[in-house]
Amino acid sequence: MSDILKMLSYCVEVGKMDKLSPYPPNMRGEDGADELAKKALDSGAKPGDILEKALIPAMAIVGNRFSKKEIYVPQMLMAAKAMNSAMKHLKPFFQSGETKRKGKFIIGTVSGDMHDIGKNLVAMMIEGGGWEVIDLGVDVSTEKFLKSISENPDAVIGLSALLTTTMENMKKTVEAIKGKYSDSKILVGGAPLTMDYCKLIGADFYSPDPQGAVNYLNKLVS
Ligand code: B1M
């Protein structure tokens, strides 16, 4: 991995957003995730590599540290902000799919859940894969999903949940969607989910990562 990617990964890990951000104090005045993501792209790194080799592993480290109580919510939040600072440079690349739109994809993080980094990554990758993405955001109620499906009846639906508590809300949303639109295809994802849980709640597919989500959607139209 290049030095730029290593440094970018480290910036996300420690929550260094950009050159002007005062946090962490020992890196004051140094490039942050914002500048380094841009430099990585300028030096020829592929957006997918920046994502998979630098950003996603950094967030995994942050998550493990949080689990072990080595860091707390504020540090986690700073890391998420640093990741988003880098992502703003990658987003146009993921969105500029050269292929014709393959269909519509509605995505949202389920009710009660504010986590959006993974959901945004999935949305970006799917958009880059040639799909029109309707992103409903975070804390999305069942009613909001149903309204969007009524406006886009052929869309595939994607639900994300990061909390064990909101997995239950995902179940309720899947039941409501399938009750009203039995032919709909629902893809679920998020760190606490499994294929078994996907089957249990009556969703159609579980993907642990964005690429699996893209592959699933592409199979539906191939
Ligand atoms: Co939260 N948080 N958090 N958090 N947070 C977790 C999820 C947690 C596992 C940390 C831990 O304890 N180790 C834990 C959940 C425990 C549990 O439920 N069992 C937790 C907790 C407890 C909380 C709070 C309750 C903390 C508190 O306030 N005490 C609180 C809840 C707020 C709420 O939602 N109501 C909270 C808050 C936050 C922040 C706001 C500080 C921040 C979110 C910022 C944001 O999203 N804008 C945050 C963060 C950053 C995390 C961790 C560290 C990282 C999540 C992340 O972005 N990962 C996380 C720990 C962890 O995951 N290890 C944690 C990177 C991202 C790329 O991965 O989202 O898994 P992920 O997405 C992956 C795949 O899952 C998949 O693709 C993505 C890319 O590979 N995927 C899909 C995701 N959605 C998909 C949908 C698909 C397909 C694939 O199809 C539709």
Side-chain angles (χ1 to χ4, degrees), residues 59 63 66-67 73 76-77 80 112-118 121-122 158-160 162-164 187-191 207-210:
M59 290 308 289
F66 184 79
S67 299
V73 173
M76 208 160 67
L77 194 52
D113 200 322
M114 308 304 289
H115 294 86
D116 69 356
I117 297 173
L121 290 175
V122 172
L159 307 180
S160 180
L162 262 287
L163 299 169
T164 42
L187 163 73
V188 294
S207 171
D209 53 41

PDB file of all heavy atoms in Angstrom, residues 59 63 66-67 73 76-77 80 112-118 121-122 158-160 162-164 187-191 207-210, ligand 1:
ATOM      1  N   MET A  59     -11.922   1.943   9.525  1.00  0.00           N
ATOM      2  CA  MET A  59     -13.158   1.945  10.319  1.00  0.00           C
ATOM      3  C   MET A  59     -13.298   0.642  11.109  1.00  0.00           C
ATOM      4  O   MET A  59     -13.864   0.623  12.202  1.00  0.00           O
ATOM      5  CB  MET A  59     -14.381   2.157   9.429  1.00  0.00           C
ATOM      6  CG  MET A  59     -14.507   3.546   8.845  1.00  0.00           C
ATOM      7  SD  MET A  59     -14.408   4.901  10.041  1.00  0.00           S
ATOM      8  CE  MET A  59     -15.945   4.726  10.910  1.00  0.00           C
ATOM      9  N   GLY A  63     -13.860   0.350  15.090  1.00  0.00           N
ATOM     10  CA  GLY A  63     -14.929  -0.453  15.693  1.00  0.00           C
ATOM     11  C   GLY A  63     -14.411  -1.409  16.752  1.00  0.00           C
ATOM     12  O   GLY A  63     -15.006  -1.538  17.825  1.00  0.00           O
ATOM     13  N   PHE A  66     -13.496   0.462  19.853  1.00  0.00           N
ATOM     14  CA  PHE A  66     -14.695   0.864  20.588  1.00  0.00           C
ATOM     15  C   PHE A  66     -15.229  -0.334  21.381  1.00  0.00           C
ATOM     16  O   PHE A  66     -15.598  -0.205  22.552  1.00  0.00           O
ATOM     17  CB  PHE A  66     -15.747   1.399  19.608  1.00  0.00           C
ATOM     18  CG  PHE A  66     -16.987   1.935  20.276  1.00  0.00           C
ATOM     19  CD1 PHE A  66     -16.997   3.197  20.849  1.00  0.00           C
ATOM     20  CD2 PHE A  66     -18.145   1.181  20.329  1.00  0.00           C
ATOM     21  CE1 PHE A  66     -18.140   3.702  21.464  1.00  0.00           C
ATOM     22  CE2 PHE A  66     -19.299   1.670  20.936  1.00  0.00           C
ATOM     23  CZ  PHE A  66     -19.286   2.933  21.501  1.00  0.00           C
ATOM     24  N   SER A  67     -15.235  -1.500  20.742  1.00  0.00           N
ATOM     25  CA  SER A  67     -15.721  -2.717  21.416  1.00  0.00           C
ATOM     26  C   SER A  67     -14.904  -3.017  22.669  1.00  0.00           C
ATOM     27  O   SER A  67     -15.434  -3.445  23.684  1.00  0.00           O
ATOM     28  CB  SER A  67     -15.617  -3.938  20.494  1.00  0.00           C
ATOM     29  OG  SER A  67     -16.387  -3.740  19.362  1.00  0.00           O
ATOM     30  N   VAL A  73     -17.518   7.119  22.132  1.00  0.00           N
ATOM     31  CA  VAL A  73     -18.328   7.665  21.035  1.00  0.00           C
ATOM     32  C   VAL A  73     -17.694   8.897  20.364  1.00  0.00           C
ATOM     33  O   VAL A  73     -17.674   8.981  19.136  1.00  0.00           O
ATOM     34  CB  VAL A  73     -19.772   7.947  21.515  1.00  0.00           C
ATOM     35  CG1 VAL A  73     -20.580   8.657  20.448  1.00  0.00           C
ATOM     36  CG2 VAL A  73     -20.457   6.641  21.894  1.00  0.00           C
ATOM     37  N   MET A  76     -15.133   7.833  17.957  1.00  0.00           N
ATOM     38  CA  MET A  76     -15.779   7.087  16.876  1.00  0.00           C
ATOM     39  C   MET A  76     -16.401   8.076  15.879  1.00  0.00           C
ATOM     40  O   MET A  76     -16.311   7.913  14.663  1.00  0.00           O
ATOM     41  CB  MET A  76     -16.870   6.216  17.499  1.00  0.00           C
ATOM     42  CG  MET A  76     -17.167   4.967  16.745  1.00  0.00           C
ATOM     43  SD  MET A  76     -17.991   3.758  17.803  1.00  0.00           S
ATOM     44  CE  MET A  76     -19.556   4.483  18.136  1.00  0.00           C
ATOM     45  N   LEU A  77     -17.019   9.115  16.425  1.00  0.00           N
ATOM     46  CA  LEU A  77     -17.658  10.129  15.596  1.00  0.00           C
ATOM     47  C   LEU A  77     -16.622  10.877  14.756  1.00  0.00           C
ATOM     48  O   LEU A  77     -16.839  11.150  13.569  1.00  0.00           O
ATOM     49  CB  LEU A  77     -18.415  11.095  16.507  1.00  0.00           C
ATOM     50  CG  LEU A  77     -19.415  12.034  15.868  1.00  0.00           C
ATOM     51  CD1 LEU A  77     -20.401  11.306  14.994  1.00  0.00           C
ATOM     52  CD2 LEU A  77     -20.165  12.791  16.955  1.00  0.00           C
ATOM     53  N   ALA A  80     -15.663   8.759  11.913  1.00  0.00           N
ATOM     54  CA  ALA A  80     -16.717   8.751  10.890  1.00  0.00           C
ATOM     55  C   ALA A  80     -16.657  10.038  10.072  1.00  0.00           C
ATOM     56  O   ALA A  80     -16.807  10.025   8.847  1.00  0.00           O
ATOM     57  CB  ALA A  80     -18.083   8.609  11.552  1.00  0.00           C
ATOM     58  N   GLY A 112     -34.850   4.254  13.879  1.00  0.00           N
ATOM     59  CA  GLY A 112     -34.118   4.230  15.157  1.00  0.00           C
ATOM     60  C   GLY A 112     -32.612   4.160  14.998  1.00  0.00           C
ATOM     61  O   GLY A 112     -31.876   4.248  15.983  1.00  0.00           O
ATOM     62  N   ASP A 113     -32.152   3.994  13.769  1.00  0.00           N
ATOM     63  CA  ASP A 113     -30.718   3.767  13.528  1.00  0.00           C
ATOM     64  C   ASP A 113     -30.132   4.933  12.732  1.00  0.00           C
ATOM     65  O   ASP A 113     -30.628   5.260  11.652  1.00  0.00           O
ATOM     66  CB  ASP A 113     -30.561   2.453  12.746  1.00  0.00           C
ATOM     67  CG  ASP A 113     -29.168   1.879  12.861  1.00  0.00           C
ATOM     68  OD1 ASP A 113     -28.203   2.663  12.863  1.00  0.00           O
ATOM     69  OD2 ASP A 113     -29.045   0.646  12.948  1.00  0.00           O
ATOM     70  N   MET A 114     -29.078   5.564  13.315  1.00  0.00           N
ATOM     71  CA  MET A 114     -28.496   6.759  12.695  1.00  0.00           C
ATOM     72  C   MET A 114     -27.219   6.439  11.905  1.00  0.00           C
ATOM     73  O   MET A 114     -26.599   7.346  11.350  1.00  0.00           O
ATOM     74  CB  MET A 114     -28.138   7.792  13.779  1.00  0.00           C
ATOM     75  CG  MET A 114     -29.256   8.140  14.736  1.00  0.00           C
ATOM     76  SD  MET A 114     -30.742   8.718  13.929  1.00  0.00           S
ATOM     77  CE  MET A 114     -30.196  10.310  13.372  1.00  0.00           C
ATOM     78  N   HIS A 115     -26.790   5.192  11.887  1.00  0.00           N
ATOM     79  CA  HIS A 115     -25.532   4.858  11.200  1.00  0.00           C
ATOM     80  C   HIS A 115     -25.729   4.947   9.679  1.00  0.00           C
ATOM     81  O   HIS A 115     -26.627   4.308   9.148  1.00  0.00           O
ATOM     82  CB  HIS A 115     -25.078   3.442  11.572  1.00  0.00           C
ATOM     83  CG  HIS A 115     -24.701   3.301  13.010  1.00  0.00           C
ATOM     84  ND1 HIS A 115     -25.629   3.023  13.992  1.00  0.00           N
ATOM     85  CD2 HIS A 115     -23.502   3.406  13.631  1.00  0.00           C
ATOM     86  CE1 HIS A 115     -25.012   2.971  15.156  1.00  0.00           C
ATOM     87  NE2 HIS A 115     -23.722   3.197  14.976  1.00  0.00           N
ATOM     88  N   ASP A 116     -24.862   5.724   9.034  1.00  0.00           N
ATOM     89  CA  ASP A 116     -25.062   5.840   7.587  1.00  0.00           C
ATOM     90  C   ASP A 116     -23.816   5.631   6.748  1.00  0.00           C
ATOM     91  O   ASP A 116     -23.868   5.718   5.522  1.00  0.00           O
ATOM     92  CB  ASP A 116     -25.709   7.185   7.237  1.00  0.00           C
ATOM     93  CG  ASP A 116     -24.796   8.386   7.474  1.00  0.00           C
ATOM     94  OD1 ASP A 116     -23.674   8.201   7.993  1.00  0.00           O
ATOM     95  OD2 ASP A 116     -25.210   9.498   7.132  1.00  0.00           O
ATOM     96  N   ILE A 117     -22.691   5.350   7.380  1.00  0.00           N
ATOM     97  CA  ILE A 117     -21.459   5.239   6.575  1.00  0.00           C
ATOM     98  C   ILE A 117     -21.540   4.027   5.644  1.00  0.00           C
ATOM     99  O   ILE A 117     -21.312   4.140   4.434  1.00  0.00           O
ATOM    100  CB  ILE A 117     -20.220   5.172   7.486  1.00  0.00           C
ATOM    101  CG1 ILE A 117     -20.109   6.475   8.282  1.00  0.00           C
ATOM    102  CG2 ILE A 117     -18.957   4.953   6.667  1.00  0.00           C
ATOM    103  CD1 ILE A 117     -19.033   6.466   9.338  1.00  0.00           C
ATOM    104  N   GLY A 118     -21.889   2.873   6.207  1.00  0.00           N
ATOM    105  CA  GLY A 118     -21.999   1.660   5.390  1.00  0.00           C
ATOM    106  C   GLY A 118     -23.100   1.793   4.353  1.00  0.00           C
ATOM    107  O   GLY A 118     -22.912   1.447   3.183  1.00  0.00           O
ATOM    108  N   LEU A 121     -21.937   3.891   1.561  1.00  0.00           N
ATOM    109  CA  LEU A 121     -20.989   3.169   0.695  1.00  0.00           C
ATOM    110  C   LEU A 121     -21.733   2.261  -0.268  1.00  0.00           C
ATOM    111  O   LEU A 121     -21.442   2.210  -1.456  1.00  0.00           O
ATOM    112  CB  LEU A 121     -20.034   2.317   1.543  1.00  0.00           C
ATOM    113  CG  LEU A 121     -19.022   3.078   2.380  1.00  0.00           C
ATOM    114  CD1 LEU A 121     -18.229   2.117   3.248  1.00  0.00           C
ATOM    115  CD2 LEU A 121     -18.082   3.852   1.473  1.00  0.00           C
ATOM    116  N   VAL A 122     -22.717   1.553   0.277  1.00  0.00           N
ATOM    117  CA  VAL A 122     -23.502   0.645  -0.558  1.00  0.00           C
ATOM    118  C   VAL A 122     -24.224   1.458  -1.644  1.00  0.00           C
ATOM    119  O   VAL A 122     -24.198   1.106  -2.823  1.00  0.00           O
ATOM    120  CB  VAL A 122     -24.507  -0.158   0.305  1.00  0.00           C
ATOM    121  CG1 VAL A 122     -25.471  -0.951  -0.556  1.00  0.00           C
ATOM    122  CG2 VAL A 122     -23.753  -1.093   1.244  1.00  0.00           C
ATOM    123  N   GLY A 158     -33.356  -1.687  -0.387  1.00  0.00           N
ATOM    124  CA  GLY A 158     -32.220  -2.042   0.458  1.00  0.00           C
ATOM    125  C   GLY A 158     -32.385  -1.461   1.853  1.00  0.00           C
ATOM    126  O   GLY A 158     -32.648  -0.264   2.013  1.00  0.00           O
ATOM    127  N   LEU A 159     -32.245  -2.326   2.863  1.00  0.00           N
ATOM    128  CA  LEU A 159     -32.376  -1.875   4.250  1.00  0.00           C
ATOM    129  C   LEU A 159     -31.056  -2.127   4.974  1.00  0.00           C
ATOM    130  O   LEU A 159     -30.494  -3.221   4.901  1.00  0.00           O
ATOM    131  CB  LEU A 159     -33.478  -2.654   4.975  1.00  0.00           C
ATOM    132  CG  LEU A 159     -34.868  -2.716   4.333  1.00  0.00           C
ATOM    133  CD1 LEU A 159     -35.805  -3.541   5.201  1.00  0.00           C
ATOM    134  CD2 LEU A 159     -35.428  -1.323   4.145  1.00  0.00           C
ATOM    135  N   SER A 160     -30.618  -1.115   5.699  1.00  0.00           N
ATOM    136  CA  SER A 160     -29.382  -1.248   6.469  1.00  0.00           C
ATOM    137  C   SER A 160     -29.691  -1.086   7.960  1.00  0.00           C
ATOM    138  O   SER A 160     -30.528  -0.265   8.334  1.00  0.00           O
ATOM    139  CB  SER A 160     -28.394  -0.163   6.014  1.00  0.00           C
ATOM    140  OG  SER A 160     -27.190  -0.258   6.719  1.00  0.00           O
ATOM    141  N   LEU A 162     -27.419  -1.259  11.832  1.00  0.00           N
ATOM    142  CA  LEU A 162     -26.127  -1.460  12.501  1.00  0.00           C
ATOM    143  C   LEU A 162     -26.260  -1.837  13.965  1.00  0.00           C
ATOM    144  O   LEU A 162     -25.273  -2.166  14.613  1.00  0.00           O
ATOM    145  CB  LEU A 162     -25.286  -0.174  12.382  1.00  0.00           C
ATOM    146  CG  LEU A 162     -24.227  -0.090  11.287  1.00  0.00           C
ATOM    147  CD1 LEU A 162     -23.023  -0.943  11.601  1.00  0.00           C
ATOM    148  CD2 LEU A 162     -24.789  -0.497   9.951  1.00  0.00           C
ATOM    149  N   LEU A 163     -27.476  -1.765  14.475  1.00  0.00           N
ATOM    150  CA  LEU A 163     -27.670  -2.030  15.901  1.00  0.00           C
ATOM    151  C   LEU A 163     -28.535  -3.276  16.074  1.00  0.00           C
ATOM    152  O   LEU A 163     -29.489  -3.477  15.310  1.00  0.00           O
ATOM    153  CB  LEU A 163     -28.370  -0.843  16.575  1.00  0.00           C
ATOM    154  CG  LEU A 163     -27.634   0.496  16.534  1.00  0.00           C
ATOM    155  CD1 LEU A 163     -28.555   1.623  16.998  1.00  0.00           C
ATOM    156  CD2 LEU A 163     -26.390   0.454  17.404  1.00  0.00           C
ATOM    157  N   THR A 164     -28.203  -4.068  17.056  1.00  0.00           N
ATOM    158  CA  THR A 164     -29.034  -5.260  17.302  1.00  0.00           C
ATOM    159  C   THR A 164     -30.469  -4.833  17.655  1.00  0.00           C
ATOM    160  O   THR A 164     -31.419  -5.521  17.297  1.00  0.00           O
ATOM    161  CB  THR A 164     -28.428  -6.127  18.439  1.00  0.00           C
ATOM    162  OG1 THR A 164     -27.977  -5.277  19.477  1.00  0.00           O
ATOM    163  CG2 THR A 164     -27.264  -6.941  17.943  1.00  0.00           C
ATOM    164  N   LEU A 187     -33.144  -6.388  -0.185  1.00  0.00           N
ATOM    165  CA  LEU A 187     -31.762  -6.714   0.158  1.00  0.00           C
ATOM    166  C   LEU A 187     -31.474  -6.107   1.531  1.00  0.00           C
ATOM    167  O   LEU A 187     -31.848  -4.959   1.781  1.00  0.00           O
ATOM    168  CB  LEU A 187     -30.855  -6.080  -0.900  1.00  0.00           C
ATOM    169  CG  LEU A 187     -29.379  -5.914  -0.632  1.00  0.00           C
ATOM    170  CD1 LEU A 187     -28.683  -7.269  -0.693  1.00  0.00           C
ATOM    171  CD2 LEU A 187     -28.768  -4.988  -1.688  1.00  0.00           C
ATOM    172  N   VAL A 188     -30.855  -6.884   2.406  1.00  0.00           N
ATOM    173  CA  VAL A 188     -30.531  -6.341   3.729  1.00  0.00           C
ATOM    174  C   VAL A 188     -29.035  -6.442   3.999  1.00  0.00           C
ATOM    175  O   VAL A 188     -28.350  -7.309   3.450  1.00  0.00           O
ATOM    176  CB  VAL A 188     -31.326  -7.055   4.863  1.00  0.00           C
ATOM    177  CG1 VAL A 188     -32.809  -6.774   4.752  1.00  0.00           C
ATOM    178  CG2 VAL A 188     -31.041  -8.546   4.901  1.00  0.00           C
ATOM    179  N   GLY A 189     -28.549  -5.542   4.836  1.00  0.00           N
ATOM    180  CA  GLY A 189     -27.138  -5.564   5.194  1.00  0.00           C
ATOM    181  C   GLY A 189     -26.880  -4.750   6.445  1.00  0.00           C
ATOM    182  O   GLY A 189     -27.768  -4.066   6.948  1.00  0.00           O
ATOM    183  N   GLY A 190     -25.634  -4.832   6.912  1.00  0.00           N
ATOM    184  CA  GLY A 190     -25.249  -4.135   8.143  1.00  0.00           C
ATOM    185  C   GLY A 190     -24.518  -5.116   9.045  1.00  0.00           C
ATOM    186  O   GLY A 190     -24.798  -6.325   9.003  1.00  0.00           O
ATOM    187  N   ALA A 191     -23.608  -4.584   9.839  1.00  0.00           N
ATOM    188  CA  ALA A 191     -22.698  -5.430  10.613  1.00  0.00           C
ATOM    189  C   ALA A 191     -23.348  -6.553  11.438  1.00  0.00           C
ATOM    190  O   ALA A 191     -22.818  -7.662  11.460  1.00  0.00           O
ATOM    191  CB  ALA A 191     -21.826  -4.546  11.502  1.00  0.00           C
ATOM    192  N   SER A 207     -26.258  -9.205   2.044  1.00  0.00           N
ATOM    193  CA  SER A 207     -24.868  -9.038   1.606  1.00  0.00           C
ATOM    194  C   SER A 207     -24.057  -8.414   2.729  1.00  0.00           C
ATOM    195  O   SER A 207     -24.478  -7.423   3.326  1.00  0.00           O
ATOM    196  CB  SER A 207     -24.787  -8.130   0.377  1.00  0.00           C
ATOM    197  OG  SER A 207     -23.423  -7.848   0.124  1.00  0.00           O
ATOM    198  N   PRO A 208     -22.876  -8.971   3.004  1.00  0.00           N
ATOM    199  CA  PRO A 208     -22.046  -8.379   4.059  1.00  0.00           C
ATOM    200  C   PRO A 208     -21.309  -7.132   3.588  1.00  0.00           C
ATOM    201  O   PRO A 208     -20.747  -6.412   4.407  1.00  0.00           O
ATOM    202  CB  PRO A 208     -21.045  -9.503   4.381  1.00  0.00           C
ATOM    203  CG  PRO A 208     -20.966 -10.319   3.132  1.00  0.00           C
ATOM    204  CD  PRO A 208     -22.292 -10.194   2.442  1.00  0.00           C
ATOM    205  N   ASP A 209     -21.298  -6.873   2.280  1.00  0.00           N
ATOM    206  CA  ASP A 209     -20.513  -5.747   1.775  1.00  0.00           C
ATOM    207  C   ASP A 209     -21.134  -5.133   0.521  1.00  0.00           C
ATOM    208  O   ASP A 209     -22.027  -5.719  -0.085  1.00  0.00           O
ATOM    209  CB  ASP A 209     -19.069  -6.200   1.496  1.00  0.00           C
ATOM    210  CG  ASP A 209     -19.045  -7.419   0.596  1.00  0.00           C
ATOM    211  OD1 ASP A 209     -19.825  -7.471  -0.363  1.00  0.00           O
ATOM    212  OD2 ASP A 209     -18.251  -8.341   0.876  1.00  0.00           O
ATOM    213  N   PRO A 210     -20.647  -3.943   0.121  1.00  0.00           N
ATOM    214  CA  PRO A 210     -21.251  -3.269  -1.036  1.00  0.00           C
ATOM    215  C   PRO A 210     -21.152  -4.078  -2.329  1.00  0.00           C
ATOM    216  O   PRO A 210     -22.084  -4.100  -3.117  1.00  0.00           O
ATOM    217  CB  PRO A 210     -20.442  -1.973  -1.148  1.00  0.00           C
ATOM    218  CG  PRO A 210     -19.890  -1.739   0.216  1.00  0.00           C
ATOM    219  CD  PRO A 210     -19.637  -3.089   0.786  1.00  0.00           C
TER     220      PRO A 210
HETATM  221 CO1  B1M B   1     -22.199   3.145  16.522  1.00  0.00          CO
HETATM  222  N1  B1M B   1     -22.281   1.293  17.107  1.00  0.00           N
HETATM  223  N2  B1M B   1     -23.423   3.677  17.930  1.00  0.00           N
HETATM  224  N3  B1M B   1     -21.815   4.965  15.979  1.00  0.00           N
HETATM  225  N4  B1M B   1     -20.745   2.442  15.529  1.00  0.00           N
HETATM  226  C1  B1M B   1     -21.588   0.298  16.314  1.00  0.00           C
HETATM  227  C2  B1M B   1     -22.503  -0.255  15.223  1.00  0.00           C
HETATM  228  C3  B1M B   1     -21.208  -0.791  17.401  1.00  0.00           C
HETATM  229  C4  B1M B   1     -21.051  -2.208  16.829  1.00  0.00           C
HETATM  230  C5  B1M B   1     -19.910  -0.375  18.150  1.00  0.00           C
HETATM  231  C6  B1M B   1     -19.489  -1.409  19.174  1.00  0.00           C
HETATM  232  O1  B1M B   1     -20.098  -1.547  20.214  1.00  0.00           O
HETATM  233  N5  B1M B   1     -18.435  -2.128  18.876  1.00  0.00           N
HETATM  234  C7  B1M B   1     -22.388  -0.638  18.421  1.00  0.00           C
HETATM  235  C8  B1M B   1     -23.603  -1.527  18.147  1.00  0.00           C
HETATM  236  C9  B1M B   1     -23.708  -2.661  19.151  1.00  0.00           C
HETATM  237  C10 B1M B   1     -24.912  -3.486  18.911  1.00  0.00           C
HETATM  238  O2  B1M B   1     -25.978  -3.047  18.593  1.00  0.00           O
HETATM  239  N6  B1M B   1     -24.710  -4.767  19.095  1.00  0.00           N
HETATM  240  C11 B1M B   1     -22.715   0.840  18.290  1.00  0.00           C
HETATM  241  C12 B1M B   1     -23.410   1.609  19.262  1.00  0.00           C
HETATM  242  C13 B1M B   1     -23.724   0.887  20.560  1.00  0.00           C
HETATM  243  C14 B1M B   1     -23.790   2.936  19.043  1.00  0.00           C
HETATM  244  C15 B1M B   1     -24.580   3.845  19.987  1.00  0.00           C
HETATM  245  C16 B1M B   1     -25.770   3.188  20.692  1.00  0.00           C
HETATM  246  C17 B1M B   1     -23.539   4.408  20.971  1.00  0.00           C
HETATM  247  C18 B1M B   1     -24.091   5.273  22.093  1.00  0.00           C
HETATM  248  O3  B1M B   1     -24.660   6.293  21.824  1.00  0.00           O
HETATM  249  N7  B1M B   1     -23.889   4.780  23.276  1.00  0.00           N
HETATM  250  C19 B1M B   1     -25.053   4.980  19.036  1.00  0.00           C
HETATM  251  C20 B1M B   1     -26.410   4.655  18.358  1.00  0.00           C
HETATM  252  C21 B1M B   1     -26.991   5.821  17.590  1.00  0.00           C
HETATM  253  C22 B1M B   1     -28.180   5.380  16.732  1.00  0.00           C
HETATM  254  O4  B1M B   1     -28.011   4.892  15.635  1.00  0.00           O
HETATM  255  N8  B1M B   1     -29.402   5.542  17.225  1.00  0.00           N
HETATM  256  C23 B1M B   1     -23.953   4.946  18.043  1.00  0.00           C
HETATM  257  C24 B1M B   1     -23.514   6.076  17.376  1.00  0.00           C
HETATM  258  C25 B1M B   1     -22.476   6.080  16.472  1.00  0.00           C
HETATM  259  C26 B1M B   1     -21.890   7.346  15.879  1.00  0.00           C
HETATM  260  C27 B1M B   1     -22.920   8.445  15.597  1.00  0.00           C
HETATM  261  C28 B1M B   1     -20.871   7.880  16.847  1.00  0.00           C
HETATM  262  C29 B1M B   1     -21.147   6.775  14.612  1.00  0.00           C
HETATM  263  C30 B1M B   1     -22.038   6.742  13.349  1.00  0.00           C
HETATM  264  C31 B1M B   1     -21.709   7.849  12.376  1.00  0.00           C
HETATM  265  C32 B1M B   1     -22.417   7.654  11.077  1.00  0.00           C
HETATM  266  O5  B1M B   1     -22.762   6.564  10.641  1.00  0.00           O
HETATM  267  N9  B1M B   1     -22.627   8.750  10.429  1.00  0.00           N
HETATM  268  C33 B1M B   1     -20.916   5.322  15.019  1.00  0.00           C
HETATM  269  C34 B1M B   1     -19.952   4.473  14.439  1.00  0.00           C
HETATM  270  C35 B1M B   1     -18.998   5.122  13.470  1.00  0.00           C
HETATM  271  C36 B1M B   1     -19.878   3.076  14.738  1.00  0.00           C
HETATM  272  C37 B1M B   1     -18.831   2.035  14.269  1.00  0.00           C
HETATM  273  C38 B1M B   1     -17.519   2.288  15.006  1.00  0.00           C
HETATM  274  C39 B1M B   1     -18.514   2.027  12.838  1.00  0.00           C
HETATM  275  C40 B1M B   1     -19.721   1.878  11.953  1.00  0.00           C
HETATM  276  C41 B1M B   1     -19.250   2.099  10.574  1.00  0.00           C
HETATM  277  O6  B1M B   1     -19.484   3.138  10.003  1.00  0.00           O
HETATM  278  N10 B1M B   1     -18.499   1.119  10.071  1.00  0.00           N
HETATM  279  C42 B1M B   1     -19.536   0.674  14.693  1.00  0.00           C
HETATM  280  C43 B1M B   1     -18.587  -0.431  15.049  1.00  0.00           C
HETATM  281  C44 B1M B   1     -18.423  -1.419  13.914  1.00  0.00           C
HETATM  282  O7  B1M B   1     -19.147  -1.490  12.970  1.00  0.00           O
HETATM  283  N11 B1M B   1     -17.473  -2.280  14.053  1.00  0.00           N
HETATM  284  C45 B1M B   1     -20.567   1.111  15.618  1.00  0.00           C
HETATM  285  C46 B1M B   1     -17.888   1.218   8.749  1.00  0.00           C
HETATM  286  C47 B1M B   1     -18.906   0.842   7.728  1.00  0.00           C
HETATM  287  C48 B1M B   1     -18.207   0.888   6.389  1.00  0.00           C
HETATM  288  O8  B1M B   1     -19.312  -0.504   8.007  1.00  0.00           O
HETATM  289  O9  B1M B   1     -21.709   0.153   8.545  1.00  0.00           O
HETATM  290  O10 B1M B   1     -20.917  -2.241   8.882  1.00  0.00           O
HETATM  291  P1  B1M B   1     -20.851  -0.955   8.151  1.00  0.00           P
HETATM  292  O11 B1M B   1     -21.253  -1.243   6.645  1.00  0.00           O
HETATM  293  C49 B1M B   1     -20.629  -2.267   5.912  1.00  0.00           C
HETATM  294  C50 B1M B   1     -21.402  -3.575   5.919  1.00  0.00           C
HETATM  295  O12 B1M B   1     -22.108  -3.817   7.118  1.00  0.00           O
HETATM  296  C51 B1M B   1     -22.252  -3.487   4.705  1.00  0.00           C
HETATM  297  O13 B1M B   1     -21.471  -2.730   3.798  1.00  0.00           O
HETATM  298  C52 B1M B   1     -20.673  -1.770   4.490  1.00  0.00           C
HETATM  299  C53 B1M B   1     -19.303  -1.671   3.857  1.00  0.00           C
HETATM  300  O14 B1M B   1     -18.606  -2.879   3.929  1.00  0.00           O
HETATM  301  N12 B1M B   1     -23.564  -2.896   4.770  1.00  0.00           N
HETATM  302  C54 B1M B   1     -24.521  -3.272   3.887  1.00  0.00           C
HETATM  303  C55 B1M B   1     -24.091  -1.923   5.545  1.00  0.00           C
HETATM  304  N13 B1M B   1     -25.324  -1.661   5.201  1.00  0.00           N
HETATM  305  C56 B1M B   1     -25.626  -2.461   4.171  1.00  0.00           C
HETATM  306  C57 B1M B   1     -26.783  -2.592   3.405  1.00  0.00           C
HETATM  307  C58 B1M B   1     -26.776  -3.525   2.382  1.00  0.00           C
HETATM  308  C59 B1M B   1     -25.682  -4.324   2.128  1.00  0.00           C
HETATM  309  C60 B1M B   1     -24.535  -4.217   2.874  1.00  0.00           C
HETATM  310  O15 B1M B   1     -27.825  -3.721   1.590  1.00  0.00           O
HETATM  311  C61 B1M B   1     -28.932  -2.885   1.689  1.00  0.00           C
END
